[in-house]
Amino acid sequence: VIEDVQVRKILDSRGNPTVEVDVTTWNGFGRAAAPSGASTGSREVVSFPEGGVDVIVSEVEDVIASELIGMDANDITTIDEVLREVDGTGNLSAIGGNTTVAVSMAVAKAAAASSNIPLYRYLGGNWVNELPYPLGNMMNGGAHAGINAPDIQEFLVVPIGAKNIVEAIFANASVHKKLKGLIQSKDSNFTGGKGDEGGWVPNITNDNALEIQAKACEEVGDELGLEIRPALDMAASELWNSKKQKYLYAQDGVERDTGEQIEFVKDIIETYNMFYVEDPFDESDFEGFAQLTSKVGNRCLICGDDLFVTNKELLLKGIEMNAANAIIIKPNQIGSLSETYATVKLAKQHNIVPVVSHRSGETTDETIAHLAVGFASPMIKTGAIGGERIAKLNELIRIEEELPNPKMGQF
Ligand code: PGA
Ligand code: ZN
């Protein structure tokens, strides 16, 4: 039974305020914080009410506490419904999706603690034994970097040959290190600057970035004796100019219409043997996604982030159109753990790979590591280095140690 709910303002990795929630039951305690995006999808729930975090702490906390105190923390679905009712809007703009998601996750953690089990086991049951492959962020561009960086938002890698999470995490860190030198060979003015998610920010073309990304995968893969594949988050909604009906690549001085974008992405996937490409089209272009998926979906994961915003209805549309074969799962896009789980369940029923993910603005909260394991998500996207990123990665190392028969995720 919930005895207390406390909300406080804390700092995120970009230096912005966010919310942290403590939930106390008579025999347990749970704490969770909400992250924030920079390249957010337009159909996400609203993160914070007008007035921001201060309003939540001064006004919303009491309302939520008075509703939740006395409720059973195991009743997460009901609690999430109560939070939606308290908000009263369709998009959580009154109390903020970041508030509801932090409460929802803190309740789940308190419930798990009250049963004396870790969150991943509380969510996934006793048979949980899979660790997600970490999608590591190597270079940043677009909205996560400054000007003169590549337009593609995230150059990622997947250590698909790793036998366990420790090997996987350190392989990613090695690629990150290797890239520093490779960037210097292309950009003599490189200062070692990094973007929002800890990837390097080079002043090079998209093509050059793709080239050294592939080279780093190959070299480190050979050194460690395991396969490492490149991956991308193109965050193409940020490149799409609706007036011109074109994707603008400022760094390269190139514009592409949808047909050219399909060919461009298909070509990248084939040339570099990409394992995964996220958001290759604007968030409204289900049709473009479907065309690309029909061409290369048998050899590459085509993943929707801004396209689906962790929303079950949008995923359903994507399933009907065969728009993608993977979906990014960010709980704060939809505002609660139970709705997040419903989307994951629908994805799995239709062989869509759920990829639990951080946001560009993060805290040291480690909850998503537990969600990835508890949901048996075969991949987690949570960077490669940096305190707020390694909080999740190191938690995965601890979880692997606890599992009796750990193995890497199954696609
Ligand atoms: P965001 O970006 O957290 O800034 O939305 C991450 C992503 O696009 O995957
Ligand atoms: Zn994305």
Side-chain angles (χ1 to χ4, degrees):
V1 173
I2 295 173
E3 290 186 341
D4 196 20
V5 179
Q6 268 187 34
V7 182
R8 71 179 61 83
K9 174 163 92 171
I10 63 164
L11 197 60
D12 83 2
S13 56
R14 264 195 288 260
N16 293 327
T18 189
V19 280
E20 178 173 86
V21 174
D22 290 356
V23 170
T24 313
T25 63
W26 74 271
N27 62 344
F29 173 80
R31 171 176 290 164
S36 296
S39 58
T40 49
S42 63
R43 286 171 289 213
E44 293 185 23
V45 297
V46 175
S47 300
F48 294 113
E50 216 157 300
V53 182
D54 292 324
V55 172
I56 300 167
V57 176
S58 63
E59 294 171 26
V60 179
E61 178 184 30
D62 291 343
V63 183
I64 291 177
S66 66
E67 289 286 337
L68 263 46
I69 288 171
M71 288 186 77
D72 183 349
N74 291 299
D75 236 342
I76 293 168
T77 311
T78 314
I79 287 172
D80 288 341
E81 281 164 14
V82 167
L83 291 169
R84 278 226 171 243
E85 276 163 32
V86 168
D87 180 88
T89 69
N91 60 2
L92 297 176
S93 56
I95 65 172
N98 271 12
T99 316
T100 57
V101 84
V103 173
S104 184
M105 294 193 306
V107 165
K109 287 167 102 172
S114 306
S115 306
N116 247 316
I117 52 174
L119 180 62
Y120 66 83
R121 194 170 296 290
Y122 180 79
L123 296 173
N126 279 332
W127 58 90
V128 162
N129 67 342
E130 278 175 30
L131 276 303
Y133 287 96
L135 253 173
N137 193 321
M138 301 294 136
M139 289 184 285
N140 293 176
H144 292 174
I147 50 165
N148 297 328
D151 303 281
I152 294 174
Q153 181 178 283
E154 298 168 29
F155 296 83
L156 308 152
V157 302
V158 193
I160 198 66
K163 291 178 295 299
N164 56 58
I165 197 72
V166 175
E167 191 175 53
I169 288 169
F170 281 91
N172 283 358
S174 298
V175 178
H176 190 273
K177 280 198 208 323
K178 172 76 72 179
L179 267 166
K180 190 176 190 185
L182 293 175
I183 293 168
Q184 268 155 355
S185 69
K186 297 267 182 200
D187 171 9
S188 57
N189 291 322
F190 182 56
T191 60
K194 297 186 207 118
D196 285 351
E197 294 182 352
W200 305 112
V201 178
N203 177 3
I204 57 178
T205 62
N206 293 285
D207 276 345
N208 277 339
L210 287 164
E211 217 176 273
I212 60 172
Q213 176 193 26
K215 195 166 174 201
C217 286
E218 220 176 278
E219 288 185 6
V220 175
D222 284 348
E223 282 162 29
L224 301 179
L226 61 94
E227 190 185 7
I228 303 173
R229 298 264 300 273
L232 296 175
D233 180 0
M234 301 192 71
S237 293
E238 303 289 319
L239 308 177
W240 180 243
N241 183 308
S242 56
K243 237 194 200 144
K244 288 190 170 177
Q245 293 283 299
K246 285 192 170 166
Y247 294 93
L248 310 187
Y249 291 79
Q251 179 76 342
D252 301 346
V254 177
E255 302 182 355
R256 296 183 172 91
D257 65 22
T258 301
E260 288 165 334
Q261 178 79 352
I262 292 173
E263 287 312 307
F264 175 61
V265 180
K266 177 172 171 280
D267 195 50
I268 288 176
I269 290 169
E270 286 167 355
T271 306
Y272 296 102
N273 195 21
M274 287 284 163
F275 187 82
Y276 166 104
V277 176
E278 181 179 327
D279 281 353
F281 302 97
D282 179 62
E283 61 187 4
S284 60
D285 192 4
F286 280 76
E287 185 52 44
F289 268 86
Q291 285 194 40
L292 183 70
T293 301
S294 77
K295 286 179 203 282
V296 293
N298 57 346
R299 77 183 82 156
C300 179
L301 291 174
I302 304 298
C303 183
D305 171 13
D306 293 349
L307 183 74
F308 296 135
V309 293
T310 316
N311 181 310
K312 205 175 135 186
E313 311 309 321
L314 291 170
L315 176 59
L316 206 53
K317 179 176 172 186
I319 289 166
E320 279 159 10
M321 291 181 66
N322 271 319
N325 51 17
I327 176 175
I328 278 284
I329 299 294
K330 293 171 172 168
N332 86 322
Q333 286 181 325
I334 192 74
S336 75
L337 196 57
S338 47
E339 287 164 287
T340 299
Y341 180 62
T343 304
V344 169
K345 213 165 112 189
L346 178 67
K348 292 192 147 198
Q349 279 163 0
H350 294 270
N351 286 320
I352 310 280
V353 175
V355 182
V356 173
S357 170
H358 66 172
R359 308 259 1 198
S360 49
E362 267 293 338
T363 69
T364 50
D365 181 284
E366 77 303 337
T367 312
I368 61 166
H370 287 257
L371 301 191
V373 175
F375 295 162
S377 158
M379 276 209 283
I380 186 168
K381 189 184 174 204
T382 186
I385 58 143
E388 70 282 4
R389 317 293 154 186
I390 66 167
K392 287 77 164 165
L393 296 171
N394 287 340
E395 185 72 356
L396 289 170
I397 292 177
R398 295 178 200 111
I399 294 174
E400 179 168 72
E401 202 177 278
E402 282 171 19
L403 296 175
N405 288 305
K407 54 178 186 173
M408 293 306 286
Q410 309 291 309
F411 289 95

